[in-house]
Amino acid sequence: MLKIGDFARLGRVTVKALRHDEEEGLLKPRDIDPATGYRYYAPEQLAWIVLLKDFGFRVGDPSPARPRSRAPSTSGGRSSPQRLTPKRDGCSAFRG
């Protein structure tokens, strides 16, 4: 099991985004320690992050269904975390 920080680093997402996505029901930790509240993820859950990214979803952006921009960043290479949102209409199977 991976602590949330290690899982975030390996999945190239932020801890804040993982917590948000847990609240949204997109990616739940495999286990939460009742005494500490630490979230633990299984290594195989990394594949879920990769799959979602491959389908054009992104992590952290709280705005509703906004397409991923292909334009270069104007923030000096640093981008804000983004919540998982659909990239295009072809992903309608993933919408509720």
Side-chain angles (χ1 to χ4, degrees):
M1 296 294 255
L2 299 165
K3 289 183 180 177
I4 192 170
D6 297 329
F7 186 79
R9 195 170 21 267
L10 290 170
R12 297 179 187 239
V13 296
T14 65
V15 169
K16 183 177 179 180
L18 287 172
R19 288 183 181 136
H20 180 268
D21 293 340
E22 176 190 356
E23 289 174 10
E24 295 292 319
L26 295 171
L27 182 64
K28 301 262 185 193
R30 186 60 48 94
D31 189 34
I32 299 176
D33 185 317
T36 64
Y38 263 56
R39 292 163 172 86
Y40 294 93
Y41 293 83
E44 57 270 15
Q45 287 181 284
L46 286 170
W48 180 243
I49 289 177
V50 172
L51 178 68
L52 290 171
K53 286 180 179 182
D54 285 349
F55 275 101
F57 289 80
R58 49 193 201 171
V59 180
D61 182 6
S63 64
R66 188 174 72 201
R68 178 177 18 192
S69 171
R70 298 273 185 204
S73 172
T74 58
S75 61
R78 296 182 63 154
S79 60
S80 61
Q82 298 165 345
R83 187 176 74 87
L84 298 178
T85 54
K87 175 180 170 184
R88 59 185 175 271
D89 288 336
C91 295
S92 60
F94 289 97
R95 295 187 188 150

